[in-house]
Amino acid sequence: MKFSEQWLREWVSPALATQALADQVTMAGLEVDAIEPVAAEFTDVVVAEVVAREQHPDADKLNVCQVEDGSGERVQVVCGAPNVDVGQKVPFARVGAVLPGDFKIKKAKLRGVESRGMICASSELGLEEDASPGILVLPADAPVGEGVRDYLGLDDHTIEVDLTPNRGDCLSVKGMAREVGVLNRLPVEGPAIAPVAASHDETFPVRVEDADGCPRYLGRVIKGVDVTAETPLWMVERLRRSGIRAIDPVVDVTNYVMLELGQPLHAFDRANLNEAVVVRRAREGERLVLLDGQEITLGASTLVIADERGPLAIAGVMGGEHSGVGAETRDIFLESAHFSPLAVAGQARSYGLHTDASHRFERGVDPALAHEAAERATALLLEIVGGEPGPLVEVADAERLPGDREVLLRRERLDQALDKVLDGEEVGEILERLGLAVESVEAGWQARMPSWRFDLAIEEDLIEEVARIHGYNRLPVRRPQARLGLEPDVEARTPLSRLRNQMVARGYFEAVTYSFVAPELQSTLLPEAVSPTLANPISSDLSVMRASLFPGLVRALQHNLNRQQTRVRLFETGLVFRGELDGLHQVPMLGALVCGARDPEGWNGGKDKVDFFDLKGDLETLLAMGGEPEAWRFEPAEHPALHPGQCARVLYRGEEAGWIGTLHPAVRAELGLKVDAVMFEVRLEALTQGQVPAFAPLSRYPEVRRDLAFLVDAERPVQALLDTVHAQAGEWLVDVRLFDVYQGKGVAEGHKSVALGLTWQHPSRTLNDEEINHLVDAIVEESRLHLGAELRA
């Protein structure tokens, strides 16, 4: 928010220097980012009147002018501006004046004609950055001989305040004046705003179909306006000092009132409106050409101002080109509406826009301000462009407008939070100065919020207000005291730091991505995922909460591949969000993605690409850190983002804990990836669980080993065979090793040979062959009956 210090002091003027005022505002929580002079330094430039003008005898583009500068005699000056004319009041730099850039004015001869001074343009006085097309013409009542700095009030500063999103009530001179008045215990006096009497009965029908998005809409027809009139210099200057360029008098008035009061307004060309103004949601596929010339396709969630032919404007964001005020406009329809922040939030960014109006409506505008702003704008328009105002038409839904809010501020809670006991009268006075209606009660103060402070909703909000107005620097400074005990270290849990260190040791880099992703990317990887959509996203491609770590990792992969990084090994830990907002589940996960060569580039490294089993091996090192690798299993399954033949569900103690697999070829093609990528994600809760290590006594007796080679169906998972072995091998089985898998000559087509090494050892005696043979027979028989496995000859 930028504003002129002089403009602010017309509302309230504390006895403080500029820097002191900025410091006071900053300490109250409204941080001042910059203080800049509104014009560069110059001297001896006065208001002068052009009393004569003749064509230069030797130059077609030069004029020889005579000016009265208040010195009592006429001064001759040669001027090349195309707009100079007799009778104009202009800024005149006398001989000896110094203009911005240390440019000194001297007597000179231009094409043989003497010139004593210079008639100045805005850019030559430092009022515009770009070169002005002509001289600056001052109002006809400007007093000749008065210094231009004094006349234009250029000994002024532009103050820029960085407001937090909850302080939308300060996005105006009126709002800032309220704050300064509260801080200095001064009354705030703005311009008197009275209802404008209607001079005709013509109205334009208004129909609100979405009262949730627009609970209040006001409109007024003003006939016979002169849009060719010039915006007064004082208004142009105030707009400039607030960072807004003057365009035409109608637009300038709506911008001025927005800066002054905080209510965005819009003016339509009455001749381009058809039958009625309708406030509704856009219909899918409707198009609109905006005032900046950009043509957009509207989404169904966009709140629009339309007529019976189609959209006229994006509500609270920007008007359309077709219905805007132009040079041919004679009648206008002035709009002043209250739009719900939720209806406007994110709409501007979804179309790549950011306007002053959307900035305010997204943060909240005083719902009671629309009437006042409409009357103020009408009065200014009549003063500048003339016209005949009609009655102010209002369509409002009182039930959907923000209602009264009352909050109890308890004395006990206030004293505890501030660590200081404030005088009760001071607390009540602070709340009343802030505009709250306060009633003293036994517990403290019952306060009703003013309509412009929509950020005050709970007791803590009032405590903050009392603290900042009383002065943060006046609160006691004490170090917090607490008895800090050691937190128990659960030995059975694996710290997240160890998991991270293990991934780094395996050659991975940790990625940190946003918790929100592009909806298109998430639907491509997880078409059935349900997660919250942000009402006010950073941008349109970061508008949904992630339901998995996969979208962020894939986006990071794309980022790296686009920068010629062909070997990518990334992991990430973070929350994923599943379900609607009311029943949202936030699940901590650990995910990883690999792509490219198995080994780093080097003379001794191979050129093989990573595959499913490389990543599975890395994951298994994490699973083993819990001390119970047997609690984990992998089973074939299907996942929409993963290759059907290279995908597995990860189970922990029989329950789903994650997924691992190669990126689905169709998904890879849709994302434009030309290389394979393998990825996994597992619940952190399962990864960090485990068991306390315990010593197992070593047996003094010999081991007995049997090697068995089974012929099984090629599609049969080896895990099924291992489960059978464990179930039948008895309690003395100490090790099972898969040491060979073979397909080829000697093995029937559609089958594979799986060789297992089984080791038994008894803790207190030597096992005999009869016992081992009995166990081996049980394994072979069970494998044959349930798995169709046969011993290989």
Side-chain angles (χ1 to χ4, degrees):
M1 169 68 185
K2 285 184 176 181
F3 59 91
S4 158
E5 181 185 356
Q6 285 183 359
W7 194 2
L8 175 70
R9 289 186 182 274
E10 287 185 8
W11 288 71
V12 58
S13 185
L16 295 173
T18 303
Q19 187 61 55
L21 176 62
D23 293 342
Q24 184 187 61
V25 170
T26 297
M27 286 302 298
L30 310 177
E31 182 181 358
V32 174
D33 266 359
I35 303 173
E36 298 177 352
V38 301
E41 286 296 325
F42 58 84
T43 60
D44 207 13
V45 179
V46 298
V47 177
E49 182 178 0
V50 180
V51 295
R53 186 195 71 170
E54 296 179 355
Q55 180 70 41
H56 192 291
D58 295 324
D60 293 339
K61 294 185 179 182
L62 295 179
N63 296 293
V64 180
C65 302
Q66 303 291 326
V67 300
E68 291 278 1
D69 65 351
S71 62
E73 62 179 32
R74 292 186 176 185
V75 181
Q76 179 173 291
V77 60
V78 178
C79 178
N83 63 326
V84 66
D85 205 352
V86 174
Q88 290 175 339
K89 299 290 181 65
V90 294
F92 177 65
R94 294 167 170 164
V95 173
V98 179
L99 299 185
D102 200 27
F103 179 65
K104 298 179 180 179
I105 303 299
K106 303 176 181 179
K107 290 182 181 180
K109 282 191 176 182
L110 298 177
R111 298 285 183 95
V113 176
E114 184 181 48
S115 179
R116 293 184 294 145
M118 186 173 90
I119 301 176
C120 301
S122 294
S123 56
E124 291 164 338
L125 297 178
L127 303 182
E128 293 181 3
E129 292 185 4
D130 300 329
S132 303
I135 60 169
L136 174 62
V137 179
L138 300 175
D141 59 355
V144 172
E146 183 175 347
V148 168
R149 290 197 74 87
D150 295 332
Y151 175 71
L152 293 180
L154 297 181
D155 292 322
D156 185 16
H157 295 88
T158 291
I159 300 176
E160 183 174 0
V161 180
D162 184 12
L163 297 172
T164 51
N166 65 312
R167 293 309 306 270
D169 62 297
C170 291
L171 286 168
S172 65
V173 174
K174 180 180 181 179
M176 290 302 305
R178 274 195 303 251
E179 285 293 304
V180 174
V182 170
L183 294 170
N184 294 280
R185 291 180 167 83
L186 294 174
V188 177
E189 298 179 0
I193 301 175
V196 176
S199 58
H200 64 81
D201 297 330
E202 182 176 336
T203 61
F204 196 76
V206 174
R207 187 170 74 252
V208 176
E209 296 181 357
D210 189 337
D212 288 325
C214 179
R216 171 171 283 154
Y217 190 96
L218 290 89
R220 164 179 275 157
V221 174
I222 304 177
K223 301 172 65 176
V225 299
D226 178 14
V227 296
T228 62
E230 289 191 8
T231 304
L233 183 59
W234 62 266
M235 183 177 287
V236 172
E237 269 296 288
R238 285 188 173 177
L239 292 174
R240 180 185 72 83
R241 298 177 196 188
S242 300
I244 294 181
R245 180 175 58 87
I247 299 174
D248 64 57
V250 176
V251 174
D252 294 345
V253 166
T254 58
N255 284 336
Y256 181 84
V257 174
M258 177 185 69
L259 292 172
E260 182 180 60
L261 303 180
Q263 170 70 48
L265 304 164
H266 188 67
F268 296 97
D269 187 334
R270 168 65 182 82
N272 292 329
L273 302 182
N274 183 259
E275 294 187 24
V277 166
V278 185
V279 185
R280 59 171 172 83
R281 297 287 173 173
R283 301 184 180 102
E284 197 66 46
E286 284 187 317
R287 301 183 69 80
L288 175 66
V289 179
L290 299 173
L291 285 171
D292 62 0
Q294 176 186 356
E295 184 175 7
I296 60 171
T297 300
L298 298 168
S301 64
T302 302
L303 186 68
V304 297
I305 310 300
D307 61 10
E308 299 299 346
R309 286 180 298 203
L312 303 171
I314 303 177
V317 179
M318 185 181 287
E321 186 177 63
H322 169 71
S323 61
V325 174
E328 305 300 321
T329 300
R330 292 296 173 264
D331 304 330
I332 64 173
F333 179 74
L334 181 65
E335 166 194 285
S336 180
H338 175 71
F339 299 114
S340 165
L342 290 178
V344 179
Q347 294 298 333
R349 278 185 294 278
S350 68
Y351 298 108
L353 303 170
H354 181 78
T355 64
D356 290 317
S358 68
H359 186 76
R360 285 163 173 79
F361 278 124
E362 285 177 350
R363 286 153 178 77
V365 173
D366 182 358
L369 191 58
H371 280 93
E372 183 181 359
E375 300 292 4
R376 174 65 167 158
T378 301
L380 288 171
L381 285 169
L382 297 181
E383 179 183 332
I384 298 170
V385 298
E388 301 174 0
L392 191 61
V393 176
E394 177 182 12
V395 177
D397 188 330
E399 293 183 357
R400 289 180 169 84
L401 284 167
D404 290 340
R405 290 159 289 127
E406 291 195 0
V407 176
L408 173 64
L409 174 58
R410 294 167 294 165
R411 158 62 78 180
E412 180 182 3
R413 181 71 182 94
L414 177 67
D415 296 345
Q416 178 191 26
L418 301 186
D419 197 18
K420 181 178 181 179
V421 178
L422 300 183
D423 182 73
E425 291 185 2
E426 180 185 359
V427 175
E429 182 198 9
I430 287 174
L431 296 176
E432 288 176 351
R433 295 207 317 268
L434 287 166
L436 283 66
V438 182
E439 178 185 354
S440 295
V441 295
E442 184 178 352
W445 300 269
Q446 188 74 27
R448 187 169 67 252
M449 307 304 119
S451 59
W452 63 85
R453 287 306 300 269
F454 26 76
D455 60 313
L456 303 181
I458 59 177
E459 186 177 29
E460 283 70 19
D461 294 332
L462 298 188
I463 293 172
E464 180 185 4
E465 291 301 296
V466 171
R468 71 184 189 86
I469 301 302
H470 175 73
Y472 292 128
N473 55 343
R474 296 173 60 192
L475 297 177
V477 178
R478 296 194 180 102
R479 292 185 177 88
Q481 296 180 355
R483 295 180 179 179
L484 303 178
L486 294 176
E487 292 187 3
D489 186 6
V490 182
E491 192 175 356
R493 296 189 68 83
T494 304
L496 177 57
S497 58
R498 283 191 60 200
L499 297 173
R500 286 173 168 156
N501 290 339
Q502 176 68 9
M503 292 300 289
V504 172
R506 304 288 293 184
Y508 289 78
F509 290 91
E510 183 169 10
V512 180
T513 66
Y514 284 112
S515 295
F516 15 88
V517 296
E520 301 82 9
L521 178 59
Q522 179 148 294
S523 62
T524 299
L525 292 168
L526 308 161
E528 298 181 1
V530 177
S531 63
T533 299
L534 300 181
N536 191 17
I538 295 175
S539 63
S540 57
D541 60 349
L542 293 172
S543 60
V544 297
M545 304 301 290
R546 64 186 179 193
S548 164
L549 297 179
F550 286 166
L553 290 171
V554 168
R555 178 57 55 86
L557 171 64
Q558 292 175 316
H559 184 86
N560 279 270
L561 293 176
N562 290 339
R563 286 154 182 79
Q564 294 80 47
Q565 300 300 314
T566 57
R567 186 175 186 269
V568 179
R569 300 173 74 85
L570 300 172
F571 80 95
E572 180 176 14
T573 61
L575 292 174
V576 301
F577 306 87
R578 294 168 180 169
E580 298 293 350
L581 197 59
D582 292 340
L584 187 64
H585 295 283
Q586 303 182 56
V587 186
M589 304 288 285
L590 186 148
L593 179 146
V594 293
C595 171
R598 176 174 292 134
D599 301 314
E601 184 179 7
W603 66 271
N604 61 339
K607 296 183 179 180
D608 295 339
K609 302 295 184 183
V610 291
D611 58 22
F612 175 90
F613 296 102
D614 290 304
L615 186 63
K616 182 172 179 283
D618 292 333
L619 175 56
E620 286 175 333
T621 65
L622 297 180
L623 307 184
M625 294 177 71
E628 49 174 355
E630 67 281 356
W632 295 87
R633 294 187 59 176
F634 296 85
E635 66 175 26
E638 291 191 3
H639 187 285
L642 303 177
H643 194 300
Q646 301 178 39
C647 171
R649 179 185 287 111
V650 183
L651 302 175
Y652 177 67
R653 296 176 180 173
E655 296 184 1
E656 182 181 310
W659 290 86
I660 182 171
T662 303
L663 191 62
H664 198 295
V667 173
R668 195 185 72 188
E670 186 171 347
L671 296 176
L673 295 173
K674 298 181 180 180
V675 293
D676 281 327
V678 191
M679 51 193 183
F680 76 73
E681 68 171 354
V682 181
R683 284 190 295 111
L684 266 177
E685 181 186 8
L687 275 175
T688 56
Q689 288 187 22
Q691 62 183 9
V692 178
F695 173 74
L698 300 177
S699 175
R700 296 183 301 162
Y701 298 92
E703 296 176 343
V704 178
R705 172 164 170 155
R706 294 286 189 272
D707 292 345
L708 303 177
F710 291 95
L711 291 173
V712 297
D713 189 286
E715 300 300 321
R716 176 78 64 181
V718 174
Q719 186 64 50
L721 191 59
L722 294 174
D723 291 342
T724 301
V725 169
H726 283 289
Q728 300 298 322
E731 59 180 314
W732 305 321
L733 183 72
V734 294
D735 190 26
V736 178
R737 291 186 179 274
L738 171 66
F739 64 86
D740 184 50
V741 178
Y742 171 73
Q743 286 179 280
K745 185 176 180 181
V747 174
E749 187 175 351
H751 289 72
K752 61 185 175 184
S753 170
V754 177
L756 303 176
L758 283 62
T759 303
W760 286 268
Q761 187 178 34
H762 198 284
S764 59
R765 64 181 178 84
T766 300
L767 295 171
N768 56 52
D769 287 344
E770 183 178 349
E771 291 173 309
I772 299 303
N773 291 339
H774 176 74
L775 295 172
V776 169
D777 291 343
I779 292 170
V780 172
E781 181 64 17
E782 189 69 16
S783 299
R784 183 182 65 79
L785 291 175
H786 291 90
L787 303 179
E790 300 288 344
L791 278 180
R792 184 180 176 192

